[in-house]
Amino acid sequence: MGPISVLVLTLILPGSAVAAWVGEAIDLMGTRVSVDLWHEDARRGRELVQNVLAEYRRIDETMSTYKETSELSRVNREADSKSVAVSVELFDLVKRALNLSRTSDGAFDITYESVGYLYDFRVGRHPSQTDIEMRLDAINYRLVELDETARTIAFARPGVRINLGGIAKGYAVEHGAALLRAAGVQNAMLNAGGDTRVVGDRRGQAWVVGIRHPRLADEIVTRLPLQDEAISTSGDYERFFEEGGRRYHHIINPLTGEPTQGVLSATVIGPDATLTDGLSTSVFVLGPEDGLALIEQIPGYEAIIVDASGRLSFSTGLAAAAE
Ligand code: ADP
Ligand code: MG
């Protein structure tokens, strides 16, 4: 039905549903999150928008390390002295994170938090070399023990902490997209900071997502048309401070306990936002060469990397499309 016939129906049947784009953006998870969707009944559409925002909040309440009351914070407090029983949702996401650690050869590692908790990017605080050396052994995803039957998490030694910041926003938008599809929504865009998931197209045209220039705030490196896909960007410009000519940003090399170098931004595109999120962080840590090699081995996923000298590299699927 075209826009004109929708209008006619609306005039003939007062009180009947009005089709429209509806959406909302709020501050959550330390960033801006949003959902926009098309619905034949705008009132129902607005309800669904609220349902998605409620799910974002619930995920944040479960997985935030900033909230003492979150399930994840409880794991961090207790799992070095006992096995902690957790929800299916948290268990499954931690399991996916550990799988990605294996696939990325340890570049993605949620135990980065064992040192990572000592950074505070808002106030410009970082750990000393001694602080890092004392805790570096606790960064190792193999120290996280999962018991599938009991559905528990335990840490193999004291000092281990986990943080799902590299994967939870992607999970949130993927989860939101699943909720919308189950409710019959065919066109939507869900965003949480650097992670975007689109459902369908934008009613006749592709969604277009721009990749920000990592240094020039208003410039776009490239634009990508997307349909039923996810795109995640990890950048060193989201959360950082500078000290002594050095940039301290929020993506940590698990081998050193310090911010990684060599990449300004890493973007990954693919069908699942949980994975594009985890992969963008992984590629950022791995660097252009090993990062692209990782992406090439995962079917359906593509990457764009901006390296320290501002040079762009594309995975083969995108390089072919760009020709
Ligand atoms: P953004 O949060 O800007 O979307 P990312 O998806 O790359 O960017 O997530 C960065 C977050 O990932 C950090 O804030 C931190 O919580 C977490 N993180 C940092 N280093 C690692 C790492 N080596 N492995 C897994 N997670 C990490
Ligand atoms: Mg990520």
Side-chain angles (χ1 to χ4, degrees):
M1 208 183 330
I4 292 175
S5 40
V6 171
L7 182 66
V8 170
L9 264 184
T10 313
L11 293 176
I12 297 173
L13 306 167
S16 70
V18 178
W21 285 104
V22 291
E24 196 172 324
I26 58 169
D27 288 320
L28 197 75
M29 305 179 175
T31 185
R32 193 87 177 145
V33 303
S34 66
V35 51
D36 291 281
L37 62 90
W38 171 267
H39 206 286
E40 297 300 326
D41 177 354
R43 220 182 36 186
R44 173 68 183 140
R46 279 189 287 272
E47 262 172 36
L48 289 171
V49 166
Q50 293 312 314
N51 294 353
V52 170
L53 294 179
E55 281 301 290
Y56 288 169
R57 287 194 194 90
R58 189 188 56 74
I59 291 166
D60 187 45
E61 297 289 330
T62 309
M63 304 193 181
S64 172
T65 52
Y66 293 104
K67 296 190 163 69
E68 295 264 309
T69 51
S70 74
E71 210 183 351
L72 189 73
S73 291
R74 191 163 58 83
V75 169
N76 278 339
R77 278 195 303 273
E78 299 177 0
D80 55 5
S81 56
K82 64 174 190 202
S83 296
V84 182
V86 296
S87 63
V88 177
E89 189 172 44
L90 184 61
F91 188 89
D92 286 350
L93 194 58
V94 168
K95 190 173 150 188
R96 288 190 73 178
L98 298 178
N99 284 338
L100 184 56
S101 295
R102 284 182 278 274
T103 320
S104 68
D105 214 1
F108 189 86
D109 192 329
I110 55 175
T111 66
Y112 89 87
E113 177 76 352
S114 309
V115 172
Y117 83 99
L118 292 173
Y119 290 89
D120 188 333
F121 301 98
R122 283 166 299 192
V123 302
R125 192 186 69 202
H126 65 84
S128 69
Q129 272 311 315
T130 320
D131 288 333
I132 295 177
E133 278 158 28
M134 277 166 48
R135 294 170 178 83
L136 197 53
D137 287 350
I139 301 185
N140 185 344
Y141 65 91
R142 295 180 191 84
L143 297 170
V144 181
E145 296 169 347
L146 299 185
D147 182 328
E148 293 267 358
T149 325
R151 213 202 298 137
T152 57
I153 301 178
F155 299 150
R157 49 159 285 179
V160 177
R161 293 168 187 241
I162 58 175
N163 185 320
L164 294 168
I167 195 168
K169 288 196 287 292
Y171 172 75
V173 294
E174 189 62 42
H175 185 74
L179 183 153
L180 292 181
R181 276 196 317 268
V185 171
Q186 288 169 13
N187 316 91
M189 175 182 269
L190 302 96
N191 179 263
D195 302 292
T196 300
R197 173 69 157 89
V198 302
V199 175
D201 66 358
R202 206 177 165 182
R203 293 183 48 78
Q205 36 185 171
W207 294 100
V208 178
V209 175
I211 299 176
R212 243 187 78 173
H213 190 290
R215 289 295 176 269
L216 307 170
D218 296 329
E219 282 198 28
I220 298 293
V221 171
T222 181
R223 284 189 173 78
L224 296 160
L226 296 180
Q227 198 169 318
D228 271 318
E229 265 192 316
I231 181 165
S232 296
T233 298
S234 295
D236 70 355
Y237 50 85
E238 286 286 346
R239 231 169 277 169
F240 74 96
F241 62 91
E242 273 166 356
E243 190 190 288
R246 180 165 166 199
R247 179 180 283 240
Y248 291 86
H249 62 79
H250 68 151
I251 302 175
I252 306 297
N253 182 343
L255 296 177
T256 63
E258 296 185 86
T260 60
Q261 269 150 29
V263 173
L264 304 187
S265 89
T267 298
V268 175
I269 303 139
D272 181 292
T274 313
L275 194 50
T276 57
D277 188 5
L279 283 173
S280 72
T281 310
S282 310
V283 169
F284 195 99
V285 173
L286 287 169
E289 214 170 301
D290 294 347
L292 282 182
L294 169 67
I295 295 302
E296 299 293 354
Q297 81 187 42
I298 307 176
Y301 288 78
E302 302 294 339
I304 302 169
I305 303 171
V306 184
D307 73 13
S309 60
R311 207 173 58 95
L312 263 75
S313 353
F314 298 87
S315 57
T316 47
L318 283 179
E323 271 164 15

